[in-house]
Amino acid sequence: MRQTILAVLSLSAIAALLTGCGGDMVLLNSKGPVAEGQSNLMLTAIYLMLLVVIPSALMALWFGWKYRASNKDADYKPTWAHSTAIEVVVWGIPVIIIGILAALTWWGSHKYDPYRPLESDKAPLTVQVIAEQFKWIFIYPEQGIATVNEMRFPEKTPVSLRITSNFTMNSFFIPALGGQIYAMAGMQTHLNLLADELSPAEGFRGFSSNYSGYGFSQMRFRAHSVTDAQFAEWVSAVKAGNGTSVNPEAVQKTVLDQAEFQTLKDGDRSKHQIEALVARATTPEEKAKAEAMKPYPTKPHPVTYYSSVEPKLFESVINKYMSNYHGADHTATVGHEAAASEAHAGVEHATVAGE
């Protein structure tokens, strides 16, 4: 009986939380069609499962009360063994619910596939995302700019994200706009999002939902949904080296190239690991090497704007790991293939002109 009461109280607490009590239930406070659809699927699944859980809990309480030892009016049937009606209920209803859940899961998996482009009258904005140690880098290939720990995009415009990692596995997540998707070294994952409305002044919360080391808690960023005019103004300001006019707390820099990209790796070990290496050092060289290490950050990297980006920087991050895997440098291959493609296009153009 005590366990049943605890179960009912737990379900009541969960139900209260799902109604929005007790804080910002961002998963149920969606700001885009993807997050809204996923939230509705989750709530539908919970309601269907409660069709079994709530009656079971109520019947457990009722049976315990009805057949208590002091109730002399309760039916006593020591030879009872089977009831077809009970078997139909306890097996039939769960089977029906599981079937409905299976159908919803199949439909939702295709409807809200993160790789599936969103339907819209506006052309999607492409953003390349790199999970760096321990920060997020956003490259806008069409605009020729890049940012660290901040993403901006126009409202009601599909955002096509191409995501990879430059160290261990992470998980890209903006709860108000959609589900999470993994960022993995040497691989590219896709995520399509859209904001139905403008974000608050502080932006939507974004972070890594996959533990990736001592600096994991610092992998936080802000996603700002703005008007088309505000987005164009921001892009122009960043390209002109004046991004701080839009965000005074940001740091404005010039170009994000390979040299600058290497400097974005924060730290070598955690503070405790460095102290342990220094304590265990057996030679002056080992101690000096350990003392020279930089500790991981204890706060997120400041928002940084870059007025230009080295071409194909995102692709080079992926190819770096793929070349190691296959034992060859694919960076040169990509450049060779691009040049060959351009030459082939030139030949075709000349052929058509000659005809």
Side-chain angles (χ1 to χ4, degrees):
M1 178 67 70
R2 181 179 299 175
Q3 292 179 343
T4 302
I5 295 174
L6 289 175
V8 173
L9 292 176
S10 299
L11 288 171
S12 300
I14 292 173
L17 288 174
L18 290 176
T19 60
C21 301
D24 176 20
M25 299 300 293
V26 66
L27 292 177
L28 305 181
N29 188 24
S30 57
K31 304 300 181 182
V34 177
E36 182 180 7
Q38 293 173 340
S39 175
N40 291 338
L41 277 175
M42 180 174 64
L43 288 175
T44 301
I46 291 174
Y47 296 150
L48 285 171
M49 289 184 285
L50 287 178
L51 292 177
V52 173
V53 174
I54 292 177
S56 298
L58 293 177
M59 285 189 293
L61 294 173
W62 181 67
F63 289 156
W65 174 258
K66 179 177 176 61
Y67 295 103
R68 67 191 186 279
S70 60
N71 185 10
K72 303 303 181 181
D73 297 328
D75 295 334
Y76 178 62
K77 298 180 179 180
T79 59
W80 181 89
H82 177 76
S83 171
T84 300
I86 292 177
E87 292 289 342
V88 169
V89 171
V90 300
W91 286 103
I93 294 178
V95 166
I96 293 173
I97 292 176
I98 291 173
I100 296 174
L101 288 173
L104 283 174
T105 301
W106 183 89
W107 175 82
S109 298
H110 290 80
K111 174 68 175 179
Y112 301 108
D113 181 359
Y115 282 62
R116 181 178 180 176
L118 300 178
E119 297 179 359
S120 174
D121 296 334
K122 295 184 177 181
L125 171 68
T126 300
V127 181
Q128 298 169 338
V129 184
I130 302 175
E132 185 52 87
Q133 178 187 298
F134 289 93
K135 62 184 67 65
W136 293 98
I137 301 173
F138 301 94
I139 298 175
Y140 293 74
E142 298 167 354
Q143 288 72 28
I145 62 174
T147 67
V148 176
N149 282 350
E150 183 183 278
M151 183 171 68
R152 289 180 185 262
F153 47 86
E155 65 168 335
K156 296 181 172 61
T157 297
V159 182
S160 178
L161 299 167
R162 302 293 185 265
I163 305 170
T164 191
S165 174
N166 194 39
F167 72 124
T168 187
M169 180 186 291
N170 275 275
S171 182
F172 182 88
F173 193 19
I174 306 177
L177 299 182
Q180 64 85 30
I181 193 166
Y182 287 105
M184 296 170 282
M187 300 180 66
Q188 178 183 180
T189 52
H190 297 185
L191 180 64
N192 292 280
L193 300 175
L194 186 147
D196 283 332
E197 59 187 68
L198 299 177
S199 63
E202 66 276 11
F204 300 126
R205 288 186 293 130
F207 51 88
S208 172
S209 58
N210 186 82
Y211 181 74
S212 56
Y214 281 96
F216 156 75
S217 60
Q218 312 307 327
M219 291 195 69
R220 304 193 297 270
F221 66 93
R222 289 290 174 173
H224 296 270
S225 173
V226 297
T227 64
D228 292 337
Q230 289 173 329
F231 178 74
E233 177 186 358
W234 174 73
V235 171
S236 298
V238 173
K239 290 177 72 70
N242 192 29
T244 53
S245 63
V246 178
N247 183 359
E249 298 180 356
V251 177
Q252 177 71 58
K253 292 190 176 183
T254 54
V255 60
L256 178 60
D257 54 13
Q258 290 291 349
E260 174 67 18
F261 184 74
Q262 296 302 321
T263 66
L264 291 177
K265 181 178 180 180
D266 282 339
D268 304 293
R269 295 285 192 280
S270 72
K271 178 182 177 182
H272 302 295
Q273 287 176 323
I274 294 175
E275 291 174 350
L277 289 173
V278 171
R280 292 200 304 263
T282 57
T283 64
E285 291 77 13
E286 290 182 356
K287 184 176 181 180
K289 183 178 179 180
E291 290 176 341
M293 291 182 177
K294 293 170 55 180
Y296 289 145
T298 56
K299 59 182 180 179
H301 189 281
V303 174
T304 306
Y305 297 148
Y306 291 94
S307 56
S308 62
V309 185
E310 179 181 308
K312 295 190 178 297
L313 178 63
F314 179 78
E315 290 80 358
S316 69
V317 173
I318 299 175
N319 292 335
K320 176 177 66 174
Y321 294 94
M322 294 304 293
S323 63
N324 291 338
Y325 178 77
H326 293 293
D329 184 4
H330 286 195
T331 305
T333 303
V334 170
H336 174 74
E337 290 178 350
S341 177
E342 292 177 0
H344 179 68
V347 170
E348 288 185 340
H349 178 73
T351 302
V352 172
E355 293 176 350

